[in-house]
């Protein structure tokens, strides 16, 4: 199974991994223990057997390029004063973003571990900042 390790988890050896691309602005993540110390983001093939787990074909990836590859399923919007307003899957959304470093027009995906809806409060936003010149 191909996985993408997006960010480190709460403990050593734990990573938040995505097994599918974003859908309607949501990137479904799960917590997994991986046998590596590599800093995310990276793509790998995850093998699990009765004797343990292994990662093969590990390659570093650019998270911005990963988001752009699936731009049709991203939130198109703008973050102003910590509030994301945008459109995804023909639905208008408004949510509070706790990450104050993200402002302006964005293409974004919300990483979630439970559920398939965009939460009203977003602690972490995976965003591609649009450069308008």
């Amino acid at each position: 199974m191909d996985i993408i390790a997006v960010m480190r988890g709460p403990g050593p050896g734990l990573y938040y991994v995505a097994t599918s691309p974003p859908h309607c602005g949501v990137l479904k993540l799960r917590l997994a223990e991986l046998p590596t110390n590599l800093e995310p983001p990276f793509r790998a093939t995850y093998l699990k057997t009765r004797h343990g787990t292994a990662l093969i074909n590990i390659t570093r990836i650019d998270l911005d390029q990963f988001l752009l590859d699936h731009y049709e399923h991203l939130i198109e919007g703008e973050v102003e004063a910590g509030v994301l307003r945008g459109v995804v899957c023909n639905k208008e959304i408004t949510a509070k973003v706790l990450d104050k470093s993200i402002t302006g027009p964005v293409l974004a995906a919300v990483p979630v571990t439970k559920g398939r809806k965009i939460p009203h409060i977003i602690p972490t936003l995976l965003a591609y900042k649009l450069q308008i010149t």
Side-chain angles (χ1 to χ4, degrees), residues 10-70:
L14 296 176
Y15 292 86
Y16 286 106
V17 298
T19 57
S20 62
H23 180 71
C24 288
V26 175
L27 182 62
K28 184 82 168 136
L29 300 180
R30 65 183 178 96
L31 192 61
E33 185 175 4
L34 301 179
T36 184
N37 286 330
L38 191 61
E39 194 63 34
F42 60 87
R43 180 186 304 264
T45 302
Y46 182 72
L47 299 175
K48 187 173 184 179
T49 67
R50 63 183 177 163
H51 300 292
T53 61
L55 292 177
I56 58 172
N57 300 331
I58 301 173
T59 56
R60 305 272 310 152
I61 63 166
D62 181 21
L63 205 51
D64 288 341
Q65 187 60 45
F66 172 72
L67 291 175
L68 288 177
D69 288 343
H70 305 287

Side-chain angles (χ1 to χ4, degrees), residues 64-108:
D64 288 341
Q65 187 60 45
F66 172 72
L67 291 175
L68 288 177
D69 288 343
H70 305 287
Y71 73 91
E72 64 275 358
H73 291 287
L74 297 179
I75 301 167
E76 299 174 21
E78 187 168 2
V79 178
E80 287 182 6
V83 177
L84 171 65
R85 288 184 183 87
V87 176
V88 64
C89 292
N90 295 325
K91 290 173 59 178
E92 195 171 311
I93 62 147
T94 302
K96 183 175 182 179
V97 179
L98 299 181
D99 187 359
K100 299 295 182 190
S101 67
I102 300 173
T103 58
V106 295
L107 289 173

Side-chain angles (χ1 to χ4, degrees), residues 113-130:
T113 55
K114 294 181 180 177
R116 295 181 184 259
K117 290 187 173 183
I118 296 174
H120 297 291
I121 298 175
I122 303 170
T124 304
L125 185 68
L126 301 176
Y128 176 77
K129 296 181 183 179
L130 298 174

